[in-house]
Amino acid sequence: MANAARIFPSSEVLTLARERALEPILKTENLWKVYRSGKVEVPALRGVDMEVYPGEFVSIMGPSGCGKSTMLHVIGGLAQATRGRVLLDGNDLTTMTDSARTLLRRHKVGFVFQKFNLLPTLDAYHNIALAQHIHGNGFDPHRFEVVASLLGLTGRLTHKPSELSGGEQQRVALARAIVSEPKIVLADEPTGNLDTKSSEAVLNLLRQLNQDLGQTIVMITHNPDAAAYGHRVLHMRDGQVVDGSTVH
Amino acid sequence: MIRYMILQNVLHRPLRTFITALAVAVEVTMVIMVVGLTTGLLQDYAKRTEGIGADVMVQPPSSSLFMNFGGAPMPISIADRLQHLDYVQAVSPVLISLNSVAALENIFGIDPESFRAVSGGFVFYSGHDLQEPNDILVDDIYAQGKNVKVGQTLHILAHDFHVAGIVEHGKSARLFVLLSTLQEMTGAHDKASIFLIKCDRSNHAAAVAEEAKHLLPGYEVRQPKDLMALMTSSNVPYLGTFINVMISIAVIVGFLVTFLSMYTTVIERTREIGVLKSLGASKSYIVRIILSETTLLCLVGTAAGIGLSLALRALIHDLHPSLPIQITYGWSVRACLIAIAGGLLGSCYPAWIASRKDPVEALAYE
């Protein structure tokens, strides 16, 4: 059933959120995404309901093709939902125009991708600064320094992506995602292209960002060990969230 | 930030950047050279005609501005009638023939005495005036270009001429033979193509021209000083059309190359466009990047085009000294603007495509 799996936040965060009367930063209601392949309709999401509260670190797991990435794209405003609602910081993405969703991404969402997706022509410094430039509030050197220092990039800023290791590239991508202080970071398999050691480093950084800066994070992963870094793990199958568990 | 990003993009693909800028440079060079050559030839022709020193020219009815494209030659006896007009100091009949072998050159058949009276005479660099029937005078530019020396034999119009002297350029034609010789060669006995009139004072030229018009109704009576103003592409049949066609071809070439280059860039950078979109870059931001990159390529191309034009002019001047090329500031600016406009037009569609890319598909692009 589409609405069978209504997943609640972890007990600690939920308790905290209730105490502070917090609204979820992200909420989906009966979220559907259907792709068309010729005359055939292929549903990628089949009525997803979920909530993510400010300060949460939520992992989403599931087999390939279960709709994890599609959900990340829809809740991040990269793709339009077919039905249902996505409320991000109180804004309903499903009723927004493409331009409005672009604006929302700019100010409220930070993406981290499996393939890092850094601009190959720019060095690490400009890859990170680019996000601030697009954000439009001008370059904030203090924030930049805090982020670069937190992610251990201070000595690597003049290097281009081709001169950085995979772990370093992903740290630059992380810095780019958080330098404009988004409401939520959406990470799509951030350790998928990394070796164990680099993966661990990136996951620790995500956890640190969450704990030290209170950054809300939703992370997609195949890896149960990686998923365990979150407060909660949501399991997806066939376009639905079928289970949610709290990580202790 | 955008400027830095564009610079890095341009430097990232040096060959593509070089080819695109080169195409724009060729476009600019083509426009400047086509206009420069036509304008240069026209202005040079006008200057040389004015340089004869005549105050009034009389040509047969319906004659062209170009003396060698005149109608049937006129009876030489007209010279006597013109000589009797008020204020006329000297009249010199000239028969003009066109040498079309190897180059298009006017050959003036002149009567040395009357031509000297009208023009003030030649300035000789070497040799002497026309004396024998087979003598020929060449100007210094012709001599330099063809490496002609005094005493040499020139085979022109199926006739062997003896180079009697080399004279300073600026007396309209570059080759001068005796009037009687040219009349004999062309079968135009007692005929002339044009009458050059020298007035006793140059400010009487208008009055003499009026008198000549009354004396010879229907004949073309012009004052050489007006030629400079008349020698524009709009006054020469089809020249304006020719220039416009050449400019259009140049613009189309520039447009297509820029289009292809930027379209390839957009395809190549599909994933990067997806990244920019995921960061919240608007459509106008992406369009701005593409158009700014095109503008940079066009600016580099136009600067190279102007440099190329100047170098080409110097080269042509060395190889063909008699071929004048006039590169003007106005047309250089116009050529650059045309190239930039063509380039921007060519990148509009790629920019539009880039701005409309679906971010999810773009991010999945391999």
Side-chain angles (χ1 to χ4, degrees), chain A:
Chain A
M1 291 294 289
N3 296 321
R6 186 173 176 83
I7 308 304
F8 293 97
S10 61
S11 55
E12 297 92 338
V13 175
L14 187 57
T15 307
L16 196 64
R18 281 177 179 159
E19 280 174 3
R20 295 182 184 176
L22 289 178
E23 288 292 315
I25 187 86
L26 173 70
K27 184 177 182 181
T28 67
E29 293 173 0
N30 189 29
L31 186 63
W32 281 74
K33 177 68 182 173
V34 180
Y35 290 107
R36 281 187 174 278
S37 177
K39 290 182 178 176
V40 183
E41 289 192 341
V42 182
L45 298 179
R46 302 163 184 248
V48 174
D49 290 290
M50 64 178 259
E51 289 174 349
V52 176
Y53 282 80
E56 261 200 304
F57 184 170
V58 177
S59 303
I60 299 176
M61 282 190 70
S64 294
C66 71
K68 304 188 298 290
S69 292
T70 300
M71 191 163 79
L72 202 82
H73 294 149
V74 173
I75 62 180
L78 286 174
Q80 180 69 290
T82 308
R83 288 209 291 278
R85 293 178 78 199
V86 179
L87 293 165
L88 181 59
D89 198 28
N91 303 284
D92 187 355
L93 270 65
T94 51
T95 59
M96 283 182 165
T97 61
D98 183 50
S99 302
R101 278 188 285 128
T102 299
L103 213 59
L104 186 115
R105 279 199 303 276
R106 187 185 302 168
H107 294 291
K108 296 186 189 289
V109 185
F111 283 99
V112 180
F113 301 100
Q114 180 179 354
K115 291 181 179 171
F116 324 131
N117 283 342
L118 301 176
L119 299 195
T121 55
L122 302 183
D123 56 25
Y125 175 89
H126 285 95
N127 261 293
I128 300 167
L130 177 65
Q132 282 196 337
H133 183 256
I134 290 174
H135 189 262
N137 280 354
F139 182 67
D140 179 350
H142 175 68
R143 172 74 181 175
F144 187 97
E145 271 179 41
V146 167
V147 169
S149 170
L150 185 69
L151 295 172
L153 291 168
T154 312
R156 309 296 286 164
L157 291 173
T158 56
H159 291 75
K160 289 194 172 173
S162 58
E163 298 160 350
L164 299 171
S165 69
E168 286 172 330
Q169 287 188 59
Q170 196 60 297
R171 279 191 276 147
V172 174
L174 258 175
R176 182 181 65 185
I178 64 166
V179 77
S180 300
E181 301 183 62
K183 294 282 183 186
I184 189 166
V185 167
L186 303 176
D188 189 359
E189 300 268 13
T191 59
N193 270 14
L194 300 178
D195 57 33
T196 312
K197 194 177 167 192
S198 299
S199 296
E200 205 172 303
V202 166
L203 290 166
N204 279 324
L205 281 170
L206 282 170
R207 177 185 275 168
Q208 196 182 342
L209 290 175
N210 174 255
Q211 287 176 350
D212 295 356
L213 303 179
Q215 181 68 60
T216 310
I217 298 170
V218 174
M219 177 179 74
I220 283 174
T221 181
H222 272 107
N223 185 344
D225 293 337
Y229 277 76
H231 298 128
R232 284 191 291 146
V233 181
L234 305 184
H235 294 271
M236 284 191 72
R237 189 176 301 145
D238 299 330
Q240 294 176 315
V241 175
V242 292
D243 181 30
S245 60
T246 302
V247 179
H248 298 289

Side-chain angles (χ1 to χ4, degrees), chain B residues 226-250:
Chain B
D226 298 334
L227 274 184
M228 289 293 271
L230 290 171
M231 283 296 174
T232 60
S233 58
S234 53
N235 281 330
V236 181
Y238 302 117
L239 189 58
T241 310
F242 167 76
I243 291 173
N244 288 338
V245 167
M246 296 309 284
I247 290 174
S248 303
I249 291 171

